[in-house]
Amino acid sequence: SGQNDIHIKMPPEVAQKISEEIEDAVADAADQEVRSYKKKSSQWFINFVMLAIFGLFGMKALMGGKVRAEEKAKEANASAEKEALLRQVSEAQMQMMQAQVEPHFLFNTLASVEYLIETDPPRAAAMQRSLISYLRAVLPQMRENASTTNLGREADMVKSYLDLLKMRMEERLEIDFIMPEGLRSASFPPMMLQSLVENAIKHGLEVKAEGGILQFRAEVAHNKLRVTISDTGLGFGAKPTNGTGLGLQNIRERLKLIYKEKAQMIITPNQPMGVCV
């Protein structure tokens, strides 16, 4: 033993008791350590299992989302390609329509001007001015080939067309034309109104001996733009026609292409007779 060691002599039973207490304390500490380790290990294992489960669910969700996204992308691409093709067809049809500026109508008008120069020069000059006004309205539309323009430009073109027809048909054609200034800037497809007015004149009023009234209305109804062209002509099917009906079908397709389900064309009989579009 060293020089500084201290020896305390105690009764054997006390020493035995202290020794047992120390051993019990060490055993309790070891047991508590083992329980703590087992608890930590158990909690870690549960956390690991939960993390693995969440990971699997997450992976499944991600993979499912990826598959869905790929399917949606394919559908979107197919839809875009179909829409692009439809748009090209529609634009080609629109260009065809715009090219049909009724050549016989122009020739008839020029012939009328030539006749009036000899019989009624002031009236011939007025008809010539109306023809120039009409051509100024319609030619820019033909050059631009835009899918939409504004209602004001389309209405001006229709009004010029009707003014010309009025000079030819005289009292056989009455025009009731209302175009609110506030609606002139509204978006509208080109040449559509022109086609509808031409239909009303050609199949309804021009073939009727006494003629009739052509009414044009632009208004807002139920927060939507509504343009109405109606005539008091002979009505549908009154006389055989060489028309194919493609003009109206073309308009329906163009409306659907440009405005989806937000636009529609409604055709009904007019009262007391004629057609309302």
Side-chain angles (χ1 to χ4, degrees):
S1 62
Q3 193 175 359
N4 297 322
D5 287 349
I6 299 171
H7 295 275
I8 301 172
K9 200 170 182 180
M10 57 181 68
E13 62 272 14
V14 174
Q16 182 66 28
K17 183 73 175 172
I18 290 172
S19 178
E20 288 174 359
E21 290 290 338
I22 290 171
E23 286 175 3
D24 287 347
V26 170
D28 285 346
D31 189 47
Q32 191 172 347
E33 189 68 25
V34 168
R35 281 200 305 273
S36 174
Y37 176 75
K38 282 181 178 178
K39 185 178 178 183
K40 285 179 182 176
S41 298
S42 174
Q43 188 63 45
W44 178 87
F45 181 71
I46 290 168
N47 289 344
F48 175 77
V49 169
M50 291 300 290
L51 188 62
I53 290 170
F54 282 129
L56 286 171
F57 275 116
M59 185 67 72
K60 185 179 178 183
L62 285 172
M63 290 304 291
K66 185 183 177 186
V67 169
R68 285 194 299 276
E70 286 174 351
E71 286 174 356
K72 281 185 179 177
K74 285 178 184 175
E75 287 173 8
N77 285 336
S79 177
E81 286 172 8
K82 182 181 175 184
E83 191 162 318
L85 187 61
L86 282 172
R87 189 175 293 279
Q88 287 173 13
V89 170
S90 177
E91 285 172 359
Q93 289 174 330
M94 187 174 69
Q95 288 170 19
M96 182 182 69
M97 285 175 67
Q98 291 176 358
Q100 297 170 349
V101 187
E102 292 286 1
H104 69 271
F105 159 76
L106 291 175
F107 287 127
N108 286 345
T109 303
L110 288 170
S112 297
V113 170
E114 187 179 18
Y115 170 76
L116 288 171
I117 286 172
E118 296 177 2
T119 59
D120 191 347
R123 193 162 158 233
M127 185 176 277
Q128 188 180 38
R129 283 194 297 272
S130 291
L131 179 58
I132 290 169
S133 174
Y134 170 72
L135 291 173
R136 278 180 176 160
V138 75
L139 289 176
Q141 299 288 64
M142 292 174 65
R143 290 195 200 104
E144 287 173 15
N145 283 332
S147 60
T148 59
T149 179
N150 63 62
L151 181 58
R153 287 178 68 177
E154 294 302 299
D156 289 346
M157 191 163 62
V158 165
K159 187 68 169 65
S160 298
Y161 177 77
L162 289 172
D163 288 343
L164 265 174
L165 284 169
K166 175 69 177 171
M167 289 182 179
R168 274 178 46 197
M169 295 176 66
E170 296 180 325
E171 68 278 355
R172 290 181 59 237
L173 176 62
E174 186 179 336
I175 301 165
D176 179 9
F177 198 93
I178 295 181
M179 174 68 235
E181 193 66 27
L183 296 180
R184 289 184 61 84
S185 61
S187 172
F188 208 85
M191 302 301 291
M192 197 174 281
L193 296 179
Q194 175 81 6
S195 295
L196 294 174
V197 169
E198 284 174 8
N199 272 350
I201 296 292
K202 188 175 180 180
H203 304 300
L205 296 172
E206 210 165 30
V207 291
K208 187 178 176 184
E210 68 273 31
I213 303 167
L214 188 135
Q215 188 181 74
F216 177 97
R217 290 279 185 280
E219 58 194 330
V220 174
H222 307 294
N223 293 321
K224 289 186 178 181
L225 176 65
R226 180 167 67 190
V227 182
T228 308
I229 294 166
S230 57
D231 65 76
T232 58
L234 295 180
F236 272 125
K239 274 196 174 182
T241 173
N242 59 359
T244 60
L246 289 175
L248 295 177
Q249 182 61 26
N250 181 286
I251 288 173
R252 288 189 195 281
E253 288 173 3
R254 286 173 63 201
L255 283 174
K256 189 170 184 180
L257 186 66
I258 298 169
Y259 301 109
K260 305 293 187 259
E261 304 303 321
K262 295 180 181 178
Q264 60 182 152
M265 179 171 67
I266 303 167
I267 304 174
T268 57
N270 196 22
Q271 297 301 330
M273 65 186 306
V275 178
C276 179
V277 184

